[in-house]
Amino acid sequence: MSEHPDCALIRRGYEAFGQGDMEKLSTMMTADVIQHMPGSGPLSGHHKGREAVFDLYRRLGEETNGTFNVHLDKLLADGRGHVMSFHTARADRGDRGIEIHEGIFFTIVAGKISDLDVCTEDIEESDSFWA
């Protein structure tokens, strides 16, 4: 059984993110991509446009001294331009660490990621870590 093309796109995106390859990742996103981050922490909210999304990724790295990483667990496609990913995020920040299950609901338009809606298993824990 071969992987759905939308899942393959998201898998390549996770790989590029993990390698810090923003140039490659930028080719997978629309110019007006939006990433929605849950909660009420300093990184929460709507990050609109490729530059704003990459600034979010830069801040994830800076805030955690480069320890932020995700391990992709599963991808699900609906065949209509949506993919759900499930991953475990890990990071250290100051004297705190976090390991938390998250998911992203992706919208894909014309073979590119146009929307990422992040969900987390514990918004309060996530907010506390990023505060």
Side-chain angles (χ1 to χ4, degrees), residues 10-61:
I10 300 307
R11 185 175 306 282
R12 288 192 311 273
Y14 267 85
E15 290 168 0
F17 179 85
Q19 296 166 356
D21 191 343
M22 296 303 116
E23 185 174 322
K24 183 175 182 181
L25 195 55
S26 74
T27 68
M28 299 177 199
M29 295 179 167
T30 62
D32 61 349
V33 64
I34 301 173
Q35 183 156 344
H36 311 275
M37 297 294 288
S40 59
L43 302 179
S44 300
H46 310 287
H47 304 269
K48 300 177 183 181
R50 208 181 288 139
E51 287 187 30
V53 170
F54 289 157
D55 186 56
L56 167 67
Y57 299 164
R58 179 189 56 75
R59 289 181 63 201
L60 288 170

Side-chain angles (χ1 to χ4, degrees), residues 38-87:
S40 59
L43 302 179
S44 300
H46 310 287
H47 304 269
K48 300 177 183 181
R50 208 181 288 139
E51 287 187 30
V53 170
F54 289 157
D55 186 56
L56 167 67
Y57 299 164
R58 179 189 56 75
R59 289 181 63 201
L60 288 170
E62 283 180 358
E63 293 286 331
T64 64
N65 272 339
T67 64
F68 183 85
N69 69 77
V70 293
H71 173 76
L72 180 61
D73 297 314
K74 186 173 216 109
L75 294 170
L76 306 174
D78 70 357
R80 297 175 288 130
H82 300 108
V83 171
M84 291 175 56
S85 71
F86 299 89
H87 64 255

